[in-house]
Amino acid sequence: MAIRVTLDRVLLERRMSLTELGDKVGITLANLSILKTGKAKAIRFTTLDALCRELQCQPGDLLSWEPGEIEDDGEE
Amino acid sequence: MRMRALGRGSISSFLKVIVDIAWVAACSILGFIWILAIISVIAKLDPASPIASIFQRVTIHDTGRLALWSLLGTVFCVGAMAICAYLRGVFETLVAGDPFVPENARRFRRIAAVLGIMEVFRLALSAFVLILLALFGVTEESAASFAFNINLSVWFSVLTLVVLAQVFDEGARMREEQKMTI
């Protein structure tokens, strides 16, 4: 996807594990993994707000845009 | 009182039972047609056989009529069984409360295809029989039973099913997107 989630980098900088973040923001580990691996199709503002609050960062620190096609992995 | 369309005890579960009964009925009719065809063939090959005398009233003596009705019956019963099987799958997802799955779109497309094939087959057979009747003598009764009429309601159903398949495709896509929204 053209939008890349840089959650792993922010977590590394904060020396925080995914489980720890999940406990703090109330998101399951499975959903955080989907987000971290870039498989998520969309992110809610409430989720983004919770992540920014706990990681003390801006949305731009978690997301970046790279030129390229948006992959459509929809089934036929 | 508002009737529920999804879940256990809803209209869908009632319709699923109806479809199951229709499938069994189509299966039974197909079996009956083939038993009748076999008996008729035996009676034709050996008119002195006990089977011929026992089933004298139900056997079809005219070979052309026998072949025609066996073929017509088989195609329609197999078609009805296929449609019932696909509908059963759709109603199962409705009972489970999760109708927007990609399989349902495929099922609706297949039902449309089966309906279309059955109708084309009926039209082709009607045309074929009418040509034969024209060549070898027409009686009013036989011509009336094979009248070449286009059934618009069938084609309307086929088109509706194609549209419905696309609606379910879109529903499945939205459901997938919703599932992957964090």
PDB file of all heavy atoms in Angstrom, chain A residues 27 31 34-35 39-44 47 75-76, chain B residues 102-103 106 109 169 173 176-182:
ATOM      1  N   ILE A  27      -6.509  -2.258  22.592  1.00  0.00           N
ATOM      2  CA  ILE A  27      -6.665  -2.896  21.271  1.00  0.00           C
ATOM      3  C   ILE A  27      -6.029  -4.292  21.362  1.00  0.00           C
ATOM      4  O   ILE A  27      -4.966  -4.449  21.968  1.00  0.00           O
ATOM      5  CB  ILE A  27      -5.972  -2.078  20.152  1.00  0.00           C
ATOM      6  CG1 ILE A  27      -6.589  -0.674  20.069  1.00  0.00           C
ATOM      7  CG2 ILE A  27      -6.093  -2.774  18.803  1.00  0.00           C
ATOM      8  CD1 ILE A  27      -5.855   0.260  19.122  1.00  0.00           C
ATOM      9  N   ASN A  31      -5.246  -7.261  16.368  1.00  0.00           N
ATOM     10  CA  ASN A  31      -5.518  -6.043  15.590  1.00  0.00           C
ATOM     11  C   ASN A  31      -4.280  -5.165  15.458  1.00  0.00           C
ATOM     12  O   ASN A  31      -4.046  -4.578  14.402  1.00  0.00           O
ATOM     13  CB  ASN A  31      -6.662  -5.252  16.230  1.00  0.00           C
ATOM     14  CG  ASN A  31      -8.022  -5.786  15.823  1.00  0.00           C
ATOM     15  OD1 ASN A  31      -8.132  -6.549  14.874  1.00  0.00           O
ATOM     16  ND2 ASN A  31      -9.047  -5.417  16.553  1.00  0.00           N
ATOM     17  N   ILE A  34      -2.140  -6.624  12.800  1.00  0.00           N
ATOM     18  CA  ILE A  34      -2.655  -6.282  11.456  1.00  0.00           C
ATOM     19  C   ILE A  34      -2.197  -4.873  11.067  1.00  0.00           C
ATOM     20  O   ILE A  34      -1.759  -4.630   9.952  1.00  0.00           O
ATOM     21  CB  ILE A  34      -4.213  -6.389  11.434  1.00  0.00           C
ATOM     22  CG1 ILE A  34      -4.640  -7.856  11.521  1.00  0.00           C
ATOM     23  CG2 ILE A  34      -4.804  -5.740  10.178  1.00  0.00           C
ATOM     24  CD1 ILE A  34      -6.129  -8.080  11.725  1.00  0.00           C
ATOM     25  N   LEU A  35      -2.270  -3.967  12.051  1.00  0.00           N
ATOM     26  CA  LEU A  35      -1.868  -2.579  11.817  1.00  0.00           C
ATOM     27  C   LEU A  35      -0.361  -2.491  11.548  1.00  0.00           C
ATOM     28  O   LEU A  35       0.075  -1.842  10.598  1.00  0.00           O
ATOM     29  CB  LEU A  35      -2.243  -1.742  13.047  1.00  0.00           C
ATOM     30  CG  LEU A  35      -2.188  -0.234  12.905  1.00  0.00           C
ATOM     31  CD1 LEU A  35      -3.189   0.247  11.874  1.00  0.00           C
ATOM     32  CD2 LEU A  35      -2.469   0.439  14.244  1.00  0.00           C
ATOM     33  N   LYS A  39      -1.427  -4.658   6.992  1.00  0.00           N
ATOM     34  CA  LYS A  39      -2.560  -5.354   6.365  1.00  0.00           C
ATOM     35  C   LYS A  39      -3.887  -4.605   6.570  1.00  0.00           C
ATOM     36  O   LYS A  39      -4.877  -4.929   5.918  1.00  0.00           O
ATOM     37  CB  LYS A  39      -2.694  -6.768   6.952  1.00  0.00           C
ATOM     38  CG  LYS A  39      -1.606  -7.702   6.474  1.00  0.00           C
ATOM     39  CD  LYS A  39      -1.730  -9.058   7.151  1.00  0.00           C
ATOM     40  CE  LYS A  39      -0.574  -9.944   6.796  1.00  0.00           C
ATOM     41  NZ  LYS A  39      -0.470 -11.098   7.712  1.00  0.00           N
ATOM     42  N   ALA A  40      -3.869  -3.627   7.477  1.00  0.00           N
ATOM     43  CA  ALA A  40      -5.118  -2.895   7.776  1.00  0.00           C
ATOM     44  C   ALA A  40      -5.566  -2.076   6.571  1.00  0.00           C
ATOM     45  O   ALA A  40      -4.744  -1.554   5.820  1.00  0.00           O
ATOM     46  CB  ALA A  40      -4.891  -1.982   8.970  1.00  0.00           C
ATOM     47  N   LYS A  41      -6.880  -2.016   6.368  1.00  0.00           N
ATOM     48  CA  LYS A  41      -7.440  -1.252   5.244  1.00  0.00           C
ATOM     49  C   LYS A  41      -7.716   0.189   5.656  1.00  0.00           C
ATOM     50  O   LYS A  41      -7.728   1.088   4.825  1.00  0.00           O
ATOM     51  CB  LYS A  41      -8.757  -1.881   4.802  1.00  0.00           C
ATOM     52  CG  LYS A  41      -8.604  -3.280   4.248  1.00  0.00           C
ATOM     53  CD  LYS A  41      -8.762  -3.281   2.762  1.00  0.00           C
ATOM     54  CE  LYS A  41      -8.701  -4.702   2.237  1.00  0.00           C
ATOM     55  NZ  LYS A  41      -8.637  -4.734   0.797  1.00  0.00           N
ATOM     56  N   ALA A  42      -8.007   0.386   6.961  1.00  0.00           N
ATOM     57  CA  ALA A  42      -8.319   1.734   7.454  1.00  0.00           C
ATOM     58  C   ALA A  42      -8.029   1.805   8.945  1.00  0.00           C
ATOM     59  O   ALA A  42      -7.935   0.768   9.602  1.00  0.00           O
ATOM     60  CB  ALA A  42      -9.782   2.057   7.182  1.00  0.00           C
ATOM     61  N   ILE A  43      -7.879   3.017   9.435  1.00  0.00           N
ATOM     62  CA  ILE A  43      -7.657   3.218  10.874  1.00  0.00           C
ATOM     63  C   ILE A  43      -8.637   4.281  11.382  1.00  0.00           C
ATOM     64  O   ILE A  43      -8.813   5.317  10.732  1.00  0.00           O
ATOM     65  CB  ILE A  43      -6.173   3.571  11.178  1.00  0.00           C
ATOM     66  CG1 ILE A  43      -5.957   3.718  12.671  1.00  0.00           C
ATOM     67  CG2 ILE A  43      -5.680   4.766  10.409  1.00  0.00           C
ATOM     68  CD1 ILE A  43      -4.496   3.690  13.096  1.00  0.00           C
ATOM     69  N   ARG A  44      -9.283   3.971  12.500  1.00  0.00           N
ATOM     70  CA  ARG A  44     -10.261   4.930  13.061  1.00  0.00           C
ATOM     71  C   ARG A  44      -9.504   6.066  13.755  1.00  0.00           C
ATOM     72  O   ARG A  44      -8.400   5.863  14.278  1.00  0.00           O
ATOM     73  CB  ARG A  44     -11.160   4.228  14.081  1.00  0.00           C
ATOM     74  CG  ARG A  44     -12.112   3.236  13.459  1.00  0.00           C
ATOM     75  CD  ARG A  44     -13.115   2.725  14.478  1.00  0.00           C
ATOM     76  NE  ARG A  44     -13.894   1.643  13.894  1.00  0.00           N
ATOM     77  CZ  ARG A  44     -13.600   0.357  13.958  1.00  0.00           C
ATOM     78  NH1 ARG A  44     -12.525  -0.030  14.631  1.00  0.00           N
ATOM     79  NH2 ARG A  44     -14.356  -0.548  13.391  1.00  0.00           N
ATOM     80  N   THR A  47      -8.713   5.210  17.293  1.00  0.00           N
ATOM     81  CA  THR A  47      -7.544   4.334  17.439  1.00  0.00           C
ATOM     82  C   THR A  47      -6.258   5.159  17.336  1.00  0.00           C
ATOM     83  O   THR A  47      -5.332   5.017  18.144  1.00  0.00           O
ATOM     84  CB  THR A  47      -7.560   3.239  16.349  1.00  0.00           C
ATOM     85  OG1 THR A  47      -8.815   2.584  16.377  1.00  0.00           O
ATOM     86  CG2 THR A  47      -6.454   2.229  16.548  1.00  0.00           C
ATOM     87  N   GLU A  75     -11.272  -9.932  -3.042  1.00  0.00           N
ATOM     88  CA  GLU A  75     -11.525 -11.212  -3.694  1.00  0.00           C
ATOM     89  C   GLU A  75     -12.567 -11.050  -4.774  1.00  0.00           C
ATOM     90  O   GLU A  75     -13.428 -10.215  -4.703  1.00  0.00           O
ATOM     91  CB  GLU A  75     -12.035 -12.224  -2.673  1.00  0.00           C
ATOM     92  CG  GLU A  75     -10.959 -12.707  -1.741  1.00  0.00           C
ATOM     93  CD  GLU A  75     -11.555 -13.624  -0.687  1.00  0.00           C
ATOM     94  OE1 GLU A  75     -11.789 -14.787  -0.991  1.00  0.00           O
ATOM     95  OE2 GLU A  75     -11.785 -13.159   0.426  1.00  0.00           O
ATOM     96  N   GLU A  76     -12.504 -11.876  -5.786  1.00  0.00           N
ATOM     97  CA  GLU A  76     -13.547 -11.910  -6.833  1.00  0.00           C
ATOM     98  C   GLU A  76     -14.402 -13.143  -6.619  1.00  0.00           C
ATOM     99  O   GLU A  76     -13.944 -14.209  -6.412  1.00  0.00           O
ATOM    100  CB  GLU A  76     -12.861 -11.943  -8.204  1.00  0.00           C
ATOM    101  CG  GLU A  76     -13.820 -12.101  -9.372  1.00  0.00           C
ATOM    102  CD  GLU A  76     -14.985 -11.142  -9.406  1.00  0.00           C
ATOM    103  OE1 GLU A  76     -14.808  -9.946  -9.192  1.00  0.00           O
ATOM    104  OE2 GLU A  76     -16.120 -11.617  -9.612  1.00  0.00           O
TER     105      GLU A  76
ATOM    106  N   PRO B 102     -18.243 -13.771  -0.002  1.00  0.00           N
ATOM    107  CA  PRO B 102     -18.075 -13.838  -1.469  1.00  0.00           C
ATOM    108  C   PRO B 102     -18.750 -15.063  -2.088  1.00  0.00           C
ATOM    109  O   PRO B 102     -19.162 -15.017  -3.246  1.00  0.00           O
ATOM    110  CB  PRO B 102     -16.555 -13.904  -1.639  1.00  0.00           C
ATOM    111  CG  PRO B 102     -15.975 -13.437  -0.364  1.00  0.00           C
ATOM    112  CD  PRO B 102     -16.958 -13.721   0.701  1.00  0.00           C
ATOM    113  N   GLU B 103     -18.878 -16.154  -1.318  1.00  0.00           N
ATOM    114  CA  GLU B 103     -19.502 -17.384  -1.843  1.00  0.00           C
ATOM    115  C   GLU B 103     -20.943 -17.132  -2.279  1.00  0.00           C
ATOM    116  O   GLU B 103     -21.410 -17.715  -3.253  1.00  0.00           O
ATOM    117  CB  GLU B 103     -19.492 -18.509  -0.791  1.00  0.00           C
ATOM    118  CG  GLU B 103     -18.137 -19.122  -0.521  1.00  0.00           C
ATOM    119  CD  GLU B 103     -17.263 -18.250   0.347  1.00  0.00           C
ATOM    120  OE1 GLU B 103     -17.806 -17.439   1.129  1.00  0.00           O
ATOM    121  OE2 GLU B 103     -16.023 -18.365   0.238  1.00  0.00           O
ATOM    122  N   ARG B 106     -21.154 -15.739  -5.711  1.00  0.00           N
ATOM    123  CA  ARG B 106     -20.906 -16.822  -6.685  1.00  0.00           C
ATOM    124  C   ARG B 106     -22.149 -17.702  -6.828  1.00  0.00           C
ATOM    125  O   ARG B 106     -22.522 -18.096  -7.919  1.00  0.00           O
ATOM    126  CB  ARG B 106     -19.716 -17.670  -6.224  1.00  0.00           C
ATOM    127  CG  ARG B 106     -18.424 -17.179  -6.848  1.00  0.00           C
ATOM    128  CD  ARG B 106     -17.236 -17.947  -6.332  1.00  0.00           C
ATOM    129  NE  ARG B 106     -16.305 -17.023  -5.719  1.00  0.00           N
ATOM    130  CZ  ARG B 106     -15.701 -17.183  -4.574  1.00  0.00           C
ATOM    131  NH1 ARG B 106     -15.938 -18.237  -3.852  1.00  0.00           N
ATOM    132  NH2 ARG B 106     -14.855 -16.282  -4.120  1.00  0.00           N
ATOM    133  N   ARG B 109     -24.762 -16.047  -8.951  1.00  0.00           N
ATOM    134  CA  ARG B 109     -24.380 -16.087 -10.377  1.00  0.00           C
ATOM    135  C   ARG B 109     -24.660 -17.473 -10.958  1.00  0.00           C
ATOM    136  O   ARG B 109     -25.134 -17.609 -12.071  1.00  0.00           O
ATOM    137  CB  ARG B 109     -22.889 -15.774 -10.521  1.00  0.00           C
ATOM    138  CG  ARG B 109     -22.672 -14.322 -10.712  1.00  0.00           C
ATOM    139  CD  ARG B 109     -21.301 -13.950 -11.190  1.00  0.00           C
ATOM    140  NE  ARG B 109     -21.092 -12.570 -10.790  1.00  0.00           N
ATOM    141  CZ  ARG B 109     -20.456 -12.193  -9.700  1.00  0.00           C
ATOM    142  NH1 ARG B 109     -19.907 -13.077  -8.916  1.00  0.00           N
ATOM    143  NH2 ARG B 109     -20.346 -10.919  -9.388  1.00  0.00           N
ATOM    144  N   ASP B 169     -21.396  -9.068  -3.847  1.00  0.00           N
ATOM    145  CA  ASP B 169     -19.955  -8.845  -4.052  1.00  0.00           C
ATOM    146  C   ASP B 169     -19.525  -7.582  -3.319  1.00  0.00           C
ATOM    147  O   ASP B 169     -18.506  -7.559  -2.622  1.00  0.00           O
ATOM    148  CB  ASP B 169     -19.662  -8.673  -5.546  1.00  0.00           C
ATOM    149  CG  ASP B 169     -19.058  -9.927  -6.153  1.00  0.00           C
ATOM    150  OD1 ASP B 169     -18.550 -10.766  -5.389  1.00  0.00           O
ATOM    151  OD2 ASP B 169     -19.105 -10.073  -7.382  1.00  0.00           O
ATOM    152  N   ARG B 173     -17.161  -7.095  -0.042  1.00  0.00           N
ATOM    153  CA  ARG B 173     -15.988  -6.207  -0.074  1.00  0.00           C
ATOM    154  C   ARG B 173     -16.020  -5.246   1.121  1.00  0.00           C
ATOM    155  O   ARG B 173     -15.020  -5.049   1.811  1.00  0.00           O
ATOM    156  CB  ARG B 173     -15.959  -5.427  -1.392  1.00  0.00           C
ATOM    157  CG  ARG B 173     -14.660  -4.697  -1.685  1.00  0.00           C
ATOM    158  CD  ARG B 173     -14.819  -3.739  -2.837  1.00  0.00           C
ATOM    159  NE  ARG B 173     -15.804  -2.703  -2.576  1.00  0.00           N
ATOM    160  CZ  ARG B 173     -15.615  -1.633  -1.797  1.00  0.00           C
ATOM    161  NH1 ARG B 173     -14.465  -1.488  -1.185  1.00  0.00           N
ATOM    162  NH2 ARG B 173     -16.568  -0.741  -1.616  1.00  0.00           N
ATOM    163  N   GLU B 176     -15.237  -7.042   4.357  1.00  0.00           N
ATOM    164  CA  GLU B 176     -13.812  -7.316   4.472  1.00  0.00           C
ATOM    165  C   GLU B 176     -13.072  -6.045   4.922  1.00  0.00           C
ATOM    166  O   GLU B 176     -12.186  -6.090   5.765  1.00  0.00           O
ATOM    167  CB  GLU B 176     -13.295  -7.824   3.119  1.00  0.00           C
ATOM    168  CG  GLU B 176     -11.864  -8.304   3.125  1.00  0.00           C
ATOM    169  CD  GLU B 176     -11.613  -9.478   4.061  1.00  0.00           C
ATOM    170  OE1 GLU B 176     -12.575 -10.210   4.363  1.00  0.00           O
ATOM    171  OE2 GLU B 176     -10.465  -9.625   4.507  1.00  0.00           O
ATOM    172  N   GLU B 177     -13.508  -4.909   4.337  1.00  0.00           N
ATOM    173  CA  GLU B 177     -12.880  -3.635   4.674  1.00  0.00           C
ATOM    174  C   GLU B 177     -13.147  -3.283   6.149  1.00  0.00           C
ATOM    175  O   GLU B 177     -12.248  -2.827   6.850  1.00  0.00           O
ATOM    176  CB  GLU B 177     -13.458  -2.545   3.761  1.00  0.00           C
ATOM    177  CG  GLU B 177     -12.520  -1.379   3.581  1.00  0.00           C
ATOM    178  CD  GLU B 177     -12.991  -0.476   2.474  1.00  0.00           C
ATOM    179  OE1 GLU B 177     -13.790   0.427   2.757  1.00  0.00           O
ATOM    180  OE2 GLU B 177     -12.570  -0.683   1.325  1.00  0.00           O
ATOM    181  N   GLN B 178     -14.385  -3.536   6.554  1.00  0.00           N
ATOM    182  CA  GLN B 178     -14.777  -3.263   7.939  1.00  0.00           C
ATOM    183  C   GLN B 178     -13.965  -4.128   8.914  1.00  0.00           C
ATOM    184  O   GLN B 178     -13.532  -3.674   9.957  1.00  0.00           O
ATOM    185  CB  GLN B 178     -16.286  -3.552   8.089  1.00  0.00           C
ATOM    186  CG  GLN B 178     -16.860  -3.335   9.475  1.00  0.00           C
ATOM    187  CD  GLN B 178     -16.865  -1.869   9.890  1.00  0.00           C
ATOM    188  OE1 GLN B 178     -16.941  -0.999   9.048  1.00  0.00           O
ATOM    189  NE2 GLN B 178     -16.734  -1.625  11.169  1.00  0.00           N
ATOM    190  N   LYS B 179     -13.753  -5.376   8.467  1.00  0.00           N
ATOM    191  CA  LYS B 179     -13.004  -6.327   9.318  1.00  0.00           C
ATOM    192  C   LYS B 179     -11.550  -5.871   9.477  1.00  0.00           C
ATOM    193  O   LYS B 179     -10.934  -6.094  10.507  1.00  0.00           O
ATOM    194  CB  LYS B 179     -13.039  -7.712   8.648  1.00  0.00           C
ATOM    195  CG  LYS B 179     -13.007  -8.848   9.633  1.00  0.00           C
ATOM    196  CD  LYS B 179     -13.423 -10.148   8.995  1.00  0.00           C
ATOM    197  CE  LYS B 179     -12.348 -10.727   8.119  1.00  0.00           C
ATOM    198  NZ  LYS B 179     -12.727 -12.025   7.534  1.00  0.00           N
ATOM    199  N   MET B 180     -11.025  -5.221   8.442  1.00  0.00           N
ATOM    200  CA  MET B 180      -9.630  -4.805   8.463  1.00  0.00           C
ATOM    201  C   MET B 180      -9.467  -3.335   8.869  1.00  0.00           C
ATOM    202  O   MET B 180      -8.441  -2.724   8.634  1.00  0.00           O
ATOM    203  CB  MET B 180      -8.993  -5.028   7.081  1.00  0.00           C
ATOM    204  CG  MET B 180      -8.960  -6.484   6.675  1.00  0.00           C
ATOM    205  SD  MET B 180      -8.142  -7.535   7.875  1.00  0.00           S
ATOM    206  CE  MET B 180      -6.487  -7.488   7.274  1.00  0.00           C
ATOM    207  N   THR B 181     -10.534  -2.782   9.455  1.00  0.00           N
ATOM    208  CA  THR B 181     -10.433  -1.415   9.990  1.00  0.00           C
ATOM    209  C   THR B 181     -10.127  -1.511  11.481  1.00  0.00           C
ATOM    210  O   THR B 181     -10.849  -2.156  12.226  1.00  0.00           O
ATOM    211  CB  THR B 181     -11.759  -0.644   9.760  1.00  0.00           C
ATOM    212  OG1 THR B 181     -11.970  -0.538   8.359  1.00  0.00           O
ATOM    213  CG2 THR B 181     -11.706   0.743  10.356  1.00  0.00           C
ATOM    214  N   ILE B 182      -9.026  -0.878  11.868  1.00  0.00           N
ATOM    215  CA  ILE B 182      -8.593  -0.987  13.266  1.00  0.00           C
ATOM    216  C   ILE B 182      -8.991   0.269  14.018  1.00  0.00           C
ATOM    217  O   ILE B 182      -8.737   1.360  13.575  1.00  0.00           O
ATOM    218  CB  ILE B 182      -7.046  -1.183  13.348  1.00  0.00           C
ATOM    219  CG1 ILE B 182      -6.605  -2.304  12.398  1.00  0.00           C
ATOM    220  CG2 ILE B 182      -6.615  -1.457  14.772  1.00  0.00           C
ATOM    221  CD1 ILE B 182      -7.148  -3.671  12.673  1.00  0.00           C
TER     222      ILE B 182
END
